[in-house]
Amino acid sequence: FAASFLMPSDGVAEYIASLGRQPRQAQTEVFDGERVAEFRQRYDADANRIQPADVVHLARHFGVSPLAVIYRLRKLGLLSRAERDALVTLDREDGFLELGALLGLHEAAVGHDEPLADQHRFLALVTEALRRSLISWGRAYEFADLAGMKASRFEQLADAMQIQPEPPDALVPADLV
C-alpha cells in the first residue's frame, strides 16, 4: 500500500516516459462503424529496458529508496524477475549510491523542489541517447557541458552506466567537426 501511495502508477509511468522510455507494448482499437480493428505495436525491448540510472532518478523524484523503486517497477510489470534480481544485486553492491553521486543527486531536496531537476533529467536523456547510439560521444560531451558536467565526470558516469566509449578511430560526422 505504501509503495502505491508514494509512487502512484500514473506518476511512475509519466516519469519513465519523460526519461525516454515507452511501454513495452501499445494497443489501439479502431472502430469503423461496422467492426473493430485492433493494432498492437511492440517497442524495442532493449531500448526501453529500465536502466540503473532510471532507478536512481525515480528514487530521487519520489523520495524513496532504490529498492522500493525496484519492487514497485516489478509490481507494475515494468521489470522481469531477472531484471529485478540484477538491480537488487546492484543495490546490495551500492551501485546506486555511486550513480547518484556521479549525477550530483543529494539528499537535501526531493522531487519538483529540486533546483537541478531539469539538468538531471536532461543528463538522463543524453546518456540514454548515447546508450542507444542516437547521438555521438562528441555531441554527448557538448550536452553534458550544457548541463554543467565536465567531460571527465561524464566519462565516469557513462562508465558506471556501462556505456561503451567510441573507438578512437571512429569516424566523426562532418557536421560535428
Side-chain angles (χ1 to χ4, degrees):
F1 172 77
S4 298
F5 179 73
L6 292 173
M7 295 176 280
S9 58
D10 289 345
V12 171
E14 181 182 311
Y15 197 83
I16 287 175
S18 79
L19 295 174
R21 303 280 182 268
Q22 298 171 338
R24 292 182 182 206
Q25 180 174 299
Q27 181 174 328
T28 304
E29 294 179 350
V30 178
F31 180 67
D32 68 1
E34 294 179 21
R35 63 185 181 275
V36 174
E38 187 176 291
F39 299 93
R40 291 184 187 191
Q41 180 179 5
R42 291 186 177 262
Y43 296 100
D44 179 4
D46 185 53
N48 289 305
R49 185 169 286 122
I50 300 294
Q51 299 297 310
D54 300 336
V55 173
V56 171
H57 284 284
L58 282 162
R60 181 77 178 117
H61 180 74
F62 289 105
V64 298
S65 71
L67 200 55
V69 169
I70 293 165
Y71 283 101
R72 182 66 175 145
L73 292 173
R74 174 69 181 141
K75 174 89 171 154
L76 293 173
L78 298 171
L79 291 176
S80 68
R81 285 183 182 163
E83 290 168 325
R84 178 204 58 203
D85 293 346
L87 291 170
V88 167
T89 299
L90 184 62
D91 184 61
R92 289 182 184 142
E93 297 169 352
D94 293 332
F96 295 117
L97 290 175
E98 178 186 358
L99 276 174
L102 287 169
L103 287 165
L105 299 175
H106 305 289
E107 295 299 324
V110 177
H112 299 292
D113 295 332
E114 181 182 345
L116 301 176
D118 292 333
Q119 286 144 320
H120 296 307
R121 191 168 299 180
F122 180 71
L123 281 170
L125 292 172
V126 170
T127 54
E128 183 58 23
L130 187 59
R131 185 182 76 81
R132 293 187 196 184
S133 299
L134 297 174
I135 61 173
S136 69
W137 275 84
R139 186 69 73 199
Y141 285 131
E142 290 175 23
F143 289 143
D145 186 54
L146 283 173
M149 183 176 276
K150 295 183 184 226
S152 59
R153 186 168 175 171
F154 183 75
E155 288 170 358
Q156 290 176 324
L157 175 62
D159 184 53
M161 295 175 70
Q162 299 178 348
I163 300 172
Q164 301 302 315
E166 277 181 329
D169 58 345
L171 297 176
V172 177
D175 64 333
L176 295 179
V177 178

